[in-house]
C-alpha cells in the first residue's frame, strides 16, 4: 500500500481577509486568531490524535462514530462530512479567481469565470487521480512557496507598522455571522487527516506530532500577515475582502509583490484542493471497505487512488463552483459543525464504554476532564449553527434528510443484492442495538484496538452464515 507521512498542510493566509471586514477592523480578527485556537483548534487536534491512532484505517471519523453509536450514525457522519468536504473543495478555485481578478477583471464575467473554474477542477482532479504520493509531495512544496511572499511582505512592512492601528474596531460594522464563519473555517478541519490514517506510516507517532506542529504553523501563518497588513496600512475594514492581500502586497512592496502573492494563491489553492479531494475520496473508500457503500467506491486505479470516489467528489465541486465564497462557506460550516458535535460525543462515549480500548496516543485527561475539553468547542459549534441563515437551515436540512433516506436504501440494496458490497465485512447489519454493534474494518488490521473491535463479530446476530464470518476473520493479517 502506498504510504505518505502528511496529506494536508497550511496553504497560507489566503481567505482570512474577510475576518477583518466582518470584525469591523483588525482588533477582533487578531483576538480571534489568538483565542480561537485554544477554544477550537487544539481540542479538535487532541481528539483527532487519540481517535485516529485508535482506528488507523481509511474512513477515520466514520469508524469512531460507528464504534460509539452504531453504523447508522457512522454513515450519517460520513455523508455529512463528505458533503461539507466537497463544499470546502469548491471554495479553492473560487478563491483563486478572487485573487486573480484584482489584476485581470475579466474573471468577474461569468462567460470567462465558469469555463476557467471547470478547467481548474478537471486539471486538479487528474493530478489527484495520478496518485497520493504526488499530493503529499506537492502539498509541502506548495505550502513553502505560498508562504514566501508573505515573509517578504512582513519584512518590508516593519518600518511602516503603527501598533495603534491594530486596536481599531467599529462594532456598528461587525458582521457576527461572517466573523464566526470565517474564524471557524480557517481554524478547523484537523479531523480530515484521520480519513487517510490507513495511508500513514506509524500513525501513533506521526499524527500527534504532525497535528500539534500544524496548529502552531497555521495560526502563525494567519496572524503575522494580518499584523503586518493592518499595522502598515490605513485601509478601511470594508476593503478587506477575499483576495485583498494581493493589494496589500502592492501597497507595501509594489506590483512585483502583488503578482508573487497571486502566483502563491494559485499554488496554495491547488495544494489545498488536492489535499481535500484526497481526504474526501479516501473517506468514501473507507466507507466502502466497511460495507457502507457499494464496493465500486473502493476500486483503485493503477496509481492506487480510488477512481470512482474521486469522480464523485469532483462532480460535487463542479455543481457548487458557481456559488460565491461566502455562500459556500456558510453551508459547509453548518454541516461540518453537526458532524463535529457527533465526533466529540463519540470521543466521550468511547472513553466511558470502552475504557480498555488500546490508545497509542491518549489525551492526558480522565473522563471528566475529556468531557470538559469538548465543552467549549461544542458551544462554539452551536453558536456557529445558530447564526446561520434560513437558506442554510433549509439546504442543510435537505442534506440531512437525504442521508437518513440513503442508509435504509443501501441496506435494502445490499440485502437484495442490487449492488455488490464487500461480503467479508458485516457492516450495517439492520438488527444491531446500541449495546451490541460492530465496526467492520479493512483486512489490514494494524493495532490491538482494531483487533478488539473485530473480535466482537463473534457475538453478533447477523444474517451472515458462520462460515462467512470465519472467512472474514481468517483474512486478517
Amino acid at each position: 500500500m502506498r504510504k505518505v507521512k502528511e496529506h494536508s498542510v497550511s496553504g497560507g493566509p489566503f481567505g482570512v481577509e474577510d475576518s477583518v471586514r466582518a470584525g469591523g477592523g483588525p482588533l477582533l480578527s487578531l483576538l480571534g486568531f489568538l483565542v480561537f485556537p485554544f477554544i477550537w483548534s487544539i481540542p479538535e487536534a487532541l481528539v483527532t490524535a487519540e481517535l485516529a491512532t485508535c482506528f488507523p484505517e481509511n474512513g477515520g471519523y466514520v469508524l469512531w462514530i460507528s464504534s460509539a453509536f452504531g453504523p447508522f450514525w457512522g454513515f450519517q457522519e460520513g455523508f455529512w462530512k463528505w458533503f461539507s468536504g466537497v463544499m470546502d473543495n469548491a471554495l479553492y478555485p473560487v478563491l483563486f479567481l478572487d485573487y486573480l481578478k484584482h489584476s485581470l477583471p475579466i474573471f468577474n464575467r461569468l462567460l470567462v469565470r465558469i469555463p476557467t473554474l471547470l478547467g481548474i477542477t478537471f486539471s486538479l482532479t487528474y493530478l489527484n487521480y495520478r496518485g497520493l504520493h504526488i499530493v503529499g509531495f506537492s502539498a509541502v512544496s506548495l505550502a513553502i512557496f505560498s508562504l514566501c511572499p508573505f515573509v517578504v511582505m512582513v519584512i518590508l512592512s516593519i518600518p511602516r507598522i503603527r501598533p495603534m492601528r491594530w486596536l481599531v474596531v467599529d462594532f456598528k460594522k461587525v458582521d457576527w455571522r461572517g466573523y464566526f464563519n470565517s474564524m471557524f473555517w480557517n481554524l478547523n478541519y484537523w479531523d480530515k487527516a484521520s480519513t487517510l490514517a490507513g495511508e500513514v506510516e506509524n500513525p501513533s507517532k506521526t499524527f500527534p506530532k504532525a497535528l500539534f506542529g500544524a496548529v502552531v504553523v497555521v495560526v502563525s501563518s494567519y496572524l503575522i500577515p494580518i499584523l503586518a497588513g493592518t499595522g502598515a496600512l490605513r485601509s478601511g475594514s470594508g476593503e478587506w475582502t477575499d483576495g485583498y492581500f494581493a493589494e496589500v502586497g502592492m501597497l507595501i512592496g509594489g506590483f512585483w509583490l502583488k503578482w508573487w502573492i497571486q502566483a502563491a494563491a494559485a499554488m496554495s489553492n491547488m495544494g489545498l484542493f488536492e489535499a481535500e479531494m484526497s481526504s474526501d475520496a479516501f473517506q468514501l473508500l473507507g466507507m466502502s471497505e466497511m460495507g457502507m457503500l457499494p464496493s465500486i467506491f473502493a476500486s483503485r486505479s493503477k496509481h492506487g487512488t480510488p477512481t470512482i470516489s474521486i469522480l464523485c467528489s469532483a462532480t460535487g465541486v463542479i455543481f457548487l463552483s458557481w456559488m460565491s465564497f461566502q455562500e459556500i462557506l456558510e453551508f459547509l460550516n453548518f454541516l461540518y459543525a453537526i458532524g463535529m458535535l457527533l465526533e466529540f460525543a463519540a470521543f466521550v462515549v468511547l472513553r466511558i464504554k470502552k475504557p480498555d480500548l488500546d490508545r497509542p496516543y491518549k489525551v492526558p485527561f480522565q473522563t471528566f476532564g475529556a468531557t470538559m475539553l469538548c465543552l467549549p468547542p461544542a458551544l462554539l459549534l452551536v453558536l456557529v449553527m445558530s447564526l446561520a441563515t434560513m437558506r442554510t437551515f433549509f439546504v442543510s436540512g435537505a442534506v440531512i434528510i437525504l442521508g437518513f433516506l440513503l442508509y435504509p436504501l443501501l441496506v435494502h440494496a445490499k440485502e437484495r443484492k442490487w449492488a455488490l458490497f464487500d461480503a467479508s465485512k458485516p457492516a450495517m447489519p439492520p438488527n444491531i442495538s446500541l449495546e451490541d454493534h460492530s465496526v467492520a474494518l479493512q483486512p489490514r488490521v494494524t493495532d490491538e484496538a482494531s483487533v478488539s473491535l473485530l473480535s466482537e463479530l463473534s457475538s453478533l446476530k447477523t444474517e451472515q452464515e458462520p462460515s462467512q464470518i470465519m472467512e472474514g476473520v481468517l483474512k486478517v493479517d
Side-chain angles (χ1 to χ4, degrees):
M1 180 183 294
R2 185 177 283 111
K3 303 284 184 179
V4 294
K5 292 185 177 180
E6 298 179 30
H7 95 288
S8 182
V9 293
S10 170
F14 306 103
V16 304
E17 301 99 326
D18 204 52
S19 65
V20 178
R21 179 201 61 79
L27 180 61
L28 289 183
S29 177
L30 295 172
L31 287 176
F33 285 116
L34 284 172
V35 175
F36 275 72
F38 294 96
I39 299 175
W40 173 253
S41 301
I42 293 176
E44 186 185 12
L46 286 170
V47 169
T48 298
E50 177 171 316
L51 294 179
T53 54
C54 277
F55 304 94
E57 309 291 334
N58 293 333
Y61 35 73
V62 177
L63 283 168
W64 316 342
I65 305 303
S66 297
S67 182
F69 302 118
F72 173 82
W73 288 109
F75 177 84
Q76 303 308 319
E77 171 77 3
F79 184 68
W80 299 338
K81 296 304 273 299
W82 175 79
F83 212 100
S84 69
V86 171
M87 288 181 173
D88 182 63
N89 225 11
L91 285 174
Y92 300 122
V94 173
L95 186 58
F96 164 56
L97 291 187
D98 283 347
Y99 268 84
L100 202 56
K101 70 184 182 183
H102 284 276
S103 294
L104 301 172
I106 192 173
F107 287 111
N108 278 319
R109 300 179 182 178
L110 286 178
L111 289 177
V112 177
R113 188 178 182 89
I114 297 301
T116 304
L117 288 172
L118 292 176
I120 293 172
T121 301
F122 287 137
S123 300
L124 296 183
T125 299
Y126 176 73
L127 177 61
N128 208 284
Y129 162 78
R130 285 299 303 271
L132 187 59
H133 63 290
I134 297 178
V135 177
F137 174 78
S138 63
V140 176
S141 301
L142 293 177
I144 296 173
F145 176 80
S146 300
L147 292 175
C148 284
F150 291 98
V151 173
V152 174
M153 186 188 78
V154 170
I155 294 173
L156 294 177
S157 71
I158 292 175
R160 305 173 60 174
I161 288 178
R162 301 294 181 268
M164 289 301 295
R165 293 172 183 166
W166 296 333
L167 305 179
V168 174
V169 59
D170 186 349
F171 285 101
K172 295 180 180 179
K173 295 182 179 180
V174 175
D175 172 15
W176 292 111
R177 180 190 300 138
Y179 174 74
F180 281 106
N181 271 296
S182 179
M183 283 291 164
F184 184 65
W185 178 69
N186 280 294
L187 293 170
N188 67 9
Y189 282 95
W190 303 103
D191 65 330
K192 277 291 183 179
S194 68
T195 63
L196 287 167
E199 307 296 304
V200 177
E201 295 176 352
N202 197 7
S204 63
K205 292 184 178 180
T206 302
F207 263 89
K209 292 180 180 179
L211 286 170
F212 301 142
V215 169
V216 175
V217 172
V218 168
V219 173
S220 299
S221 69
Y222 294 163
L223 193 60
I224 296 174
I226 293 178
L227 284 169
T230 57
L233 303 176
R234 294 180 178 273
S235 305
S237 61
E239 297 181 56
W240 284 82
T241 56
D242 306 319
Y244 188 66
F245 264 128
E247 296 299 314
V248 173
M250 183 186 70
L251 294 173
I252 291 177
F255 280 99
W256 63 273
L257 186 55
K258 176 181 179 178
W259 280 100
W260 191 5
I261 290 175
Q262 288 176 330
M267 297 296 100
S268 169
N269 284 288
M270 183 175 77
L272 291 170
F273 184 101
E274 294 297 284
E276 180 65 45
M277 179 165 281
S278 293
S279 177
D280 295 338
F282 273 88
Q283 178 191 320
L284 294 183
L285 180 145
M287 292 175 70
S288 178
E289 291 178 333
M290 294 166 63
M292 289 185 171
L293 293 173
S295 57
I296 191 173
F297 287 94
S299 61
R300 296 194 185 222
S301 68
K302 63 181 180 180
H303 306 290
T305 51
T307 307
I308 301 300
S309 297
I310 288 175
L311 288 176
C312 287
S313 297
T315 301
V317 170
I318 291 171
F319 279 108
L320 291 166
S321 293
W322 60 272
M323 300 173 66
S324 71
F325 183 88
Q326 287 74 19
E327 287 175 324
I328 300 173
L329 189 65
E330 187 172 321
F331 289 152
L332 75 90
N333 278 349
F334 193 95
L335 286 174
Y336 189 85
I338 296 174
M340 281 308 307
L341 286 173
L342 205 54
E343 286 182 32
F344 286 132
F347 173 67
V348 175
V349 167
L350 288 173
R351 279 292 191 97
I352 297 172
K353 291 180 61 179
K354 298 188 178 182
D356 297 327
L357 189 65
D358 181 49
R359 293 172 168 87
Y361 172 81
K362 185 176 182 179
V363 177
F365 298 117
Q366 297 302 318
T367 302
F368 177 77
T371 304
M372 292 298 101
L373 174 72
C374 296
L375 186 58
L379 293 175
L380 176 62
L381 292 170
V382 173
L383 175 61
V384 170
M385 293 168 62
S386 67
L387 293 173
T389 62
M390 288 303 299
R391 183 183 179 186
T392 299
F393 276 105
F394 177 78
V395 172
S396 301
V399 173
I400 292 170
I401 293 172
L402 179 60
F404 285 171
L405 295 176
L406 273 178
Y407 180 83
L409 178 62
L410 288 170
V411 171
H412 191 65
K414 187 175 184 179
E415 292 173 347
R416 294 299 183 94
K417 298 183 179 180
W418 292 346
L420 180 62
F421 289 79
D422 195 328
S424 67
K425 304 177 183 63
M428 298 201 323
N431 58 345
I432 291 180
S433 66
L434 181 62
E435 298 299 325
D436 185 24
H437 63 268
S438 170
V439 177
L441 299 176
Q442 298 182 34
R444 296 182 183 272
V445 179
T446 56
D447 68 350
E448 295 178 8
S450 302
V451 174
S452 67
L453 288 171
L454 188 60
S455 66
E456 295 178 8
L457 295 177
S458 60
S459 64
L460 296 179
K461 296 180 179 179
T462 66
E463 297 179 1
Q464 291 187 304
E465 292 296 326
S467 61
Q468 290 178 305
I469 296 179
M470 183 59 67
E471 180 184 358
V473 174
L474 290 175
K475 289 183 180 181
V476 178
D477 289 339

